Amino acid sequence: MAAATPPARPTIRDIAREAGVSVATVSRVTHDDPRVVPETKRRVQEVIDRLGYRPSALGRALSYQRTLTLGIALPGLGGPYFAQLIEGAESVAVERGVVINVVGTHLRPDAADAVRQLAERTDGLIVAGGTLSEDDVADLAASGRVVVVAGDQPGVPCVVTDGRAAAAELVRHLVEAHGHRRLRFVGEPDGSPDTAWRYAGFRDVLAERGLTEAGEPLRLGLDVRSGAVAARLLHDEGVLPDALVCGNDELATGMLATLPGLGHRIPTDVAVTGFDDQALAEIASPRLTTVHQPVADLGALAAAGALGGDLPARTTLPTRLVVRESCGCTQEGAPR
Amino acid sequence: MAAATPPARPTIRDIAREAGVSVATVSRVTHDDPRVVPETKRRVQEVIDRLGYRPSALGRALSYQRTLTLGIALPGLGGPYFAQLIEGAESVAVERGVVINVVGTHLRPDAADAVRQLAERTDGLIVAGGTLSEDDVADLAASGRVVVVAGDQPGVPCVVTDGRAAAAELVRHLVEAHGHRRLRFVGEPDGSPDTAWRYAGFRDVLAERGLTEAGEPLRLGLDVRSGAVAARLLHDEGVLPDALVCGNDELATGMLATLPGLGHRIPTDVAVTGFDDQALAEIASPRLTTVHQPVADLGALAAAGALGGDLPARTTLPTRLVVRESCGCTQEGAPR
DNA sequence: GTGTCGGATGTAACCGGATACATCGCGACG
DNA sequence: CGTCGCGATGTATCCGGTTACATCCGACAC
């Protein structure tokens, strides 16, 4: 039997020696350089195939001074929001022959370090809002790396949606179309800049209408489970507000799933709204009134910026209010 | 005014020159080598700080022949399953001072290539089942890379759960405890090995009991939206089976959300089961009967294997049947 | 005074590629 | 027949680190 060869990866010099040519010629063959005469090319290619040679990405990167990689740093990998962001970025990356590397930081005590590591191995970096402190991002940008923030940060190119205005539009719908006056926000404004802006928009409208919040924001995470927790919390408080404005769709879905079991009908007893317009929102019952965000477009734009170079300091993409039934509108779109 | 220095990253040689020492000394300082005399160390450190020098990860990796990075290749980044897998892996990675890089391939025409690229830059690789063809994985492993498959593949170290046995246990519950005889599988068995095993377990029990499938598998994706589609499809067929065995929780949740609206009560008219026991399963209404998988443990084990080295050819982690209400059991856990 | 030893630091090679420039060989042309 | 030009290939250097080994120097012992 053939002795199992220790699978040491051959280097370009191994190939050169074995094929009786110079490393330059091997490199030319791997780059399809037309200057190599067919016969030589064939011979080299044969050796490459036989030895299973593949140029080391590391060596290449060092020499090119480019890694052909785009980095994306996110707080966590859960949730459709980030998946969509990545998809958007991926579409651009594929076009440019670049591969995407993602890191999630929310489990890491050394988040900033992990991202720096990533930055080190990529040509450009997309940092999602809330992944790092502003200082860390600024630091990164200052160290000569191309950084784009999907979210909000002065001094660094950003791609954003106007969450504040979007939330305001949503809340205005609740107030104007449905006459709700006792509104409560669900989500942790201090948890992420996005949530903070949404909360700000929420408060804008209350102020505008001379309303007061029906209680402190319910400071919970942005996941389904937190929605269930929030529902129980509210139920235990006794009296529910007219409407619950949730930080995102998952949170809202958790409430949608839990409130009816506690005897609160939606939207009759209480209206619920989401944010993001994810797949869930359309499936939920009642279907969720929410704000559509062009998340994939954000990702694509950020990717183009991070790879291409010049992006204006700030690009704002439009959102769209999606009125379904959880706010109290009918299937046909009429209020109540 | 100081002319804005072009933010070119200083190299180790820049530091050496500026500090009046050799590159070896600089390297020693960055490694906290005790052989450097304090005074020298201080001087070098000062220059490092002043110029903002950070050793290039690329250069280091090339020299070390290690990247201190663990790669994870997944089909897509959506869905809680993969998020959990990554979390499990991350816990191990953090311990070992290794950073994780993730790539998703489902949007890439050149999936195998993208993963190879990743392999190139990492010390070990976790490939989720269904990400690549078996050939591609074998190829990768053959090229001297440490590869662990989270899923099923002969010839490569695997960490798995026994999806076939788990599915069988689930289906047996439907048949024995609830007396369901007309069962239908929802999901695309050819779509991923996991789904294939689950379908196999499903068929095992049917065969065992002399039952026949109540129709072909509904070959759909594993997401919420597909569940909604499946529900409509079934409704349009007219007569529903006794029980729907779904490929995962998301699919099941989609059905849970859609069937009632079409006039089918769950579990009275039709039982529905999921797979994976994700957060959704507990929140859904009715709460979803499903199979708990130790996904994070899988991730952790795979990471340990990919980083540490020797993992047995195949490690199987136990699953647990989680009986809730969507199968027809009552809250208290009694059948019907 | 000289030999020895050890600690601090420097020199140079190496990791795996890419590539500017040098070299070589050959046909064409004056 | 010498030379020029050009196409094919080789040589050597660089990318940014690490590190085995060499070197230098002062202290100490004899």
Side-chain angles (χ1 to χ4, degrees), chain B residues 84-103:
Chain B
Q84 271 180 266
L85 191 73
I86 294 170
E87 287 191 6
E90 189 102 49
S91 64
V92 173
V94 169
E95 250 172 44
R96 311 216 183 177
V98 157
V99 35
I100 288 193
N101 268 206
V102 183
V103 312

Side-chain angles (χ1 to χ4, degrees), chain A residues 243-270:
Chain A
L244 293 163
V245 176
C246 301
N248 74 352
D249 286 350
E250 292 173 85
L251 201 44
T253 308
M255 310 209 68
L256 248 44
T258 313
L259 283 173
L262 301 169
H264 306 285
R265 286 162 305 164
I266 302 169
T268 329
D269 299 337
V270 55

Side-chain angles (χ1 to χ4, degrees), chain B residues 18-294:
Chain B
E18 186 77 11
V21 297
S22 73
V23 292
T25 300
V26 176
S27 180
R28 288 188 192 110
V29 170
T30 61
H31 285 74
D32 247 329
D33 190 311
R35 285 176 302 180
V36 191
V37 94
E39 156 58 16
T40 309
K41 176 165 178 173
R42 203 197 47 68
R43 201 170 73 245
V44 173
Q45 189 62 54
E46 190 269 328
V47 176
I48 289 179
D49 292 342
R50 181 155 51 80
L51 270 54
Y53 166 73
R54 297 191 177 269
S56 147
L58 240 46
R60 244 181 201 181
L62 193 53
S63 171
Y64 281 152
Q65 298 291 83
R66 300 191 44 203
T67 59
L68 295 178
T69 300
L70 171 66
I72 304 185
L74 304 167
L77 284 327
Y81 180 90
F82 296 126
Q84 271 180 266
L85 191 73
I86 294 170
E87 287 191 6
E90 189 102 49
S91 64
V92 173
V94 169
E95 250 172 44
R96 311 216 183 177
V98 157
V99 35
I100 288 193
N101 268 206
V102 183
V103 312
T105 59
H106 79 138
L107 292 173
R108 297 215 154 239
D110 55 343
D113 238 48
V115 177
R116 219 187 302 281
Q117 284 262 354
L118 179 66
E120 207 60 56
R121 298 156 200 267
T122 56
D123 299 331
L125 197 59
I126 301 177
V127 181
T131 307
L132 294 178
S133 74
E134 295 205 353
D135 283 354
D136 285 332
V137 175
D139 214 48
L140 225 43
S143 77
R145 309 242 142 245
V146 184
V147 176
V148 176
V149 173
D152 219 336
Q153 165 140 10
V156 180
C158 296
V159 292
V160 291
T161 52
D162 189 343
R164 183 172 194 164
E169 188 186 356
L170 173 70
V171 174
R172 228 172 261 126
H173 173 81
L174 292 172
V175 174
E176 290 180 3
H178 299 286
H180 294 317
R181 306 191 56 80
R182 300 181 45 259
L183 308 179
R184 189 143 180 203
F185 188 84
V186 186
E188 169 57 278
D190 299 335
S192 79
D194 278 340
T195 309
W197 287 119
R198 293 169 193 181
Y199 181 56
F202 170 85
R203 296 193 39 129
D204 287 347
V205 175
L206 295 197
E208 185 182 304
R209 307 285 158 156
L211 301 172
T212 52
E213 292 186 58
E216 271 288 289
L218 278 167
R219 300 176 181 278
L220 292 160
L222 292 172
D223 54 302
V224 173
R225 200 159 258 160
S226 298
V229 172
R232 292 213 184 82
L233 245 43
L234 282 164
H235 175 74
D236 291 346
E237 284 185 5
V239 48
L240 258 59
D242 297 341
L244 293 163
V245 176
C246 301
N248 74 352
D249 286 349
E250 292 172 85
L251 200 44
T253 307
M255 309 209 69
L256 247 43
T258 313
L259 282 173
L262 301 169
H264 307 284
R265 287 160 304 163
I266 303 170
T268 329
D269 298 338
V270 54
V272 173
T273 63
F275 218 103
D276 289 346
D277 192 28
Q278 289 161 2
L280 270 176
E282 218 181 324
I283 302 303
S285 137
R287 293 161 64 234
L288 199 55
T289 290
T290 185
V291 173
H292 180 81
Q293 303 227 92

Side-chain angles (χ1 to χ4, degrees), chain A residues 9 54 57 62 67 69 87 90 98 100-103 106 108 116 120-121 145 225 228 257 282-283, chain B residues 9 54 57 62 67 69 87 90 98 100-103 106 108 116 120-121 145 225 257 282-283:
Chain A
R9 294 163 48 86
R54 299 194 173 269
L62 194 53
T67 60
T69 301
E87 288 190 6
E90 189 102 49
V98 158
I100 288 193
N101 267 208
V102 183
V103 311
H106 78 136
R108 298 216 153 238
R116 219 188 303 281
E120 207 61 55
R121 298 153 198 270
R145 310 240 142 245
R225 200 160 260 160
E282 218 181 326
I283 301 302
Chain B
R9 291 162 51 82
R54 297 191 177 269
L62 193 53
T67 59
T69 300
E87 287 191 6
E90 189 102 49
V98 157
I100 288 193
N101 268 206
V102 183
V103 312
H106 79 138
R108 297 215 154 239
R116 219 187 302 281
E120 207 60 56
R121 298 156 200 267
R145 309 242 142 245
R225 200 159 258 160
E282 218 181 324
I283 302 303

